Amino acid sequence: MTGNINQIFNEKDYYEIRLESIGGLGANLCGKMVGELAVRYLDLNSAGFSSYGSEKTGTPVKGYIRFCASDKEIRVHSPVVNPDLLVIFHQALMRDAKTWIGCGAQTQVIIALDQGQDEWMGYLPKTVGGCYVVDARQIAMETKSRINVVMLGAMAKVMGFIELEHTRQICRDSLGRKYPAALESNLKGLEQGYEQVQQLSQAQLDLFQSKSGEETEQKMPDDGQEWGYVTAPIGGVNPRFGSTVTADLSPSRQGYLPVFIKERCINCGLCDSTCPDMVFQFAEGEFKGRKMMVNRGLDYYHCKGCMRCVDVCPVNALVRGLEAEHSDKQYFLPNQDMLRAPDYYIKTGPDGYVTSESYLTEKRLEGGEV
């Protein structure tokens, strides 16, 4: 744990936090709550902002927060390069070398890590000061809350100078008026995040680091910036395909996905016309003795789980299913023209929170909900 904030300010001017997340997990709001908490209840000065591109579920999001003593002013408004606390909201981000830039012996790391994950989801540098994990998705599902409040509770515990009651109060201030019906469940999620975050032992760190292989090499310029005035592409063009984490939308799903029951499909094409990400793949075939374009299945790499196809399907050939129950997806046809994601994303589980519907007793037919 970090400890007393005044002792920190005896050694440095700022305490700096960096949030690494993807759109839809609430990192932006989490950063705002942390900043307001410092000003209202800790008598500190605070400044923070988020950095993101298109406001789309699944796109990369970074949050930056700085604290300083109340008798000083924050004169720095640039991104946090060398964080004292690094918070990773989705374990798939651990595979991106840029997530770890600037981490050193001073950095405490919190990772939203699924405890049931069989394979370590990325790199773990040996240079971090301490590593903590919390199964934020499972907690959010059980308490019917959101991942951001779970991570807020974990952050308070790891920082050590924020009391649990202060985090409860900032949630009441931020969420109570706007979402009064959801306040109680979010408070439960926050408390569980505070209580269940655990520090990895040295033996666990050695095991995870052995699974992740050699530590990533940060192939960045000396100033730590990949792109700048000199290195940016001509015309500001982004040469990376898509704007999501390695062009893969699957981490943005909130626990549900459309299940395709081919025997029911009448090949009307409504799913294809309503899909915002063109995941349905039609090819020439035969249906009821006639040659026509036939629905072959979905590209789940690029399905973000919006469920519009389920709503529009007239014959229930597409039904809502829990992603956790469909690890081997029937009719999963990766679109080779769009596919830019590595093979390991096949094993990436759903993130976000699943509503109370996931705990209902449901009858299922051929893997689907009826």
Side-chain angles (χ1 to χ4, degrees):
M1 306 298 175
T2 300
N4 190 294
I5 188 65
N6 293 321
Q7 294 178 354
I8 296 173
F9 291 147
N10 289 335
E11 302 174 0
K12 56 195 304 184
D13 292 332
Y14 303 116
Y15 181 83
E16 298 180 310
I17 304 170
R18 188 168 78 220
L19 311 180
E20 297 278 353
S21 183
I22 57 177
L25 301 187
N28 185 32
L29 177 58
C30 181
K32 290 180 179 179
M33 288 194 289
V34 171
E36 291 181 11
L37 185 154
V39 173
R40 292 188 182 187
Y41 306 116
L42 301 182
D43 192 28
L44 300 175
N45 286 335
S46 173
F49 66 96
S50 295
S51 174
Y52 47 86
S54 60
E55 296 186 37
K56 178 180 179 183
T57 298
T59 54
V61 174
K62 294 180 183 290
Y64 309 103
I65 307 103
R66 285 186 176 89
F67 299 158
C68 76
S70 59
D71 58 348
K72 295 183 179 180
E73 294 182 356
I74 297 179
R75 296 286 189 175
V76 179
H77 302 285
S78 59
V80 172
V81 177
N82 303 112
D84 297 290
L85 180 65
L86 176 68
V87 186
I88 301 176
F89 278 62
H90 193 287
Q91 60 192 20
L93 292 167
M94 296 170 63
R95 290 192 180 272
D96 189 348
K98 292 188 288 296
T99 297
W100 302 104
I101 288 178
C103 293
Q106 87 286 356
T107 306
Q108 305 289 317
V109 180
I110 305 175
I111 305 170
L113 182 69
D114 291 354
Q115 299 300 321
Q117 196 70 38
D118 294 332
E119 181 182 351
W120 181 246
M121 290 303 300
Y123 305 100
L124 183 59
K126 297 179 180 179
T127 54
V128 296
C131 185
Y132 302 79
V133 296
V134 59
D135 194 346
R137 183 176 66 88
Q138 185 63 32
I139 293 173
M141 290 169 62
E142 292 174 351
T143 59
K144 304 182 182 69
S145 60
R146 296 300 301 269
I147 279 183
N148 56 352
V149 295
V150 178
M151 298 304 286
L152 175 61
M155 290 169 63
K157 183 67 171 291
V158 171
M159 285 189 280
F161 52 83
I162 297 179
E163 297 180 6
L164 179 58
E165 182 53 39
H166 290 157
T167 61
R168 292 193 188 103
Q169 190 57 49
I170 199 64
C171 276
R172 296 187 188 103
D173 296 341
S174 301
L175 306 176
R177 294 180 181 178
K178 192 171 183 180
Y179 308 106
L183 177 60
E184 198 61 34
S185 60
N186 279 300
L187 289 176
K188 291 179 181 178
L190 182 146
E191 293 164 2
Q192 289 298 308
Y194 187 92
E195 295 173 3
Q196 295 189 30
V197 63
Q198 297 179 347
Q199 184 173 11
L200 297 181
S201 65
Q202 188 58 51
Q204 290 173 313
L205 286 173
D206 293 340
L207 176 62
F208 287 155
Q209 285 165 347
S210 67
K211 287 184 177 181
S212 66
E214 296 181 1
E215 187 175 342
T216 59
E217 295 181 3
Q218 306 296 346
K219 298 179 180 179
M220 298 290 166
D222 293 338
D223 60 1
Q225 297 295 323
E226 181 182 15
W227 286 353
Y229 180 77
V230 177
T231 58
I234 296 176
V237 177
N238 183 354
R240 296 183 65 183
F241 291 92
S243 58
T244 60
V245 181
T246 58
D248 175 25
L249 289 176
S250 64
S252 68
R253 289 196 287 265
Q254 299 293 303
Y256 292 113
L257 83 173
V259 177
F260 180 43
I261 304 175
K262 188 175 180 62
E263 293 73 20
R264 298 180 182 177
C265 182
I266 59 175
N267 302 297
C268 63
L270 288 176
C271 55
D272 186 49
S273 61
T274 196
C275 178
D277 296 295
M278 300 180 293
V279 303
F280 291 94
Q281 298 176 65
F282 282 74
E284 291 184 3
E286 186 175 306
F287 178 68
K288 293 185 177 181
R290 297 174 53 191
K291 290 185 177 181
M292 60 186 299
M293 299 300 288
V294 176
N295 192 351
R296 299 177 58 213
L298 295 77
D299 175 6
Y300 282 105
Y301 280 125
H302 297 90
C303 171
K304 63 190 175 200
C306 68
M307 298 298 158
R308 295 180 187 177
C309 58
V310 173
D311 294 336
V312 78
C313 182
V315 292
N316 291 327
L318 289 158
V319 296
R320 179 188 296 257
L322 288 179
E323 183 166 10
E325 298 179 359
H326 299 278
S327 56
D328 296 324
K329 303 176 183 65
Q330 194 178 18
Y331 306 116
F332 176 18
L333 300 174
N335 188 326
Q336 297 303 313
D337 293 331
M338 297 173 63
L339 181 59
R340 294 294 183 274
D343 292 341
Y344 57 70
Y345 268 105
I346 297 174
K347 299 179 181 179
T348 300
D351 79 285
Y353 76 104
V354 180
T355 66
S356 58
E357 293 178 9
S358 64
Y359 292 96
L360 296 177
T361 301
E362 298 172 338
K363 296 180 179 179
R364 297 188 173 275
L365 175 64
E366 298 176 350
E369 174 185 300
V370 294

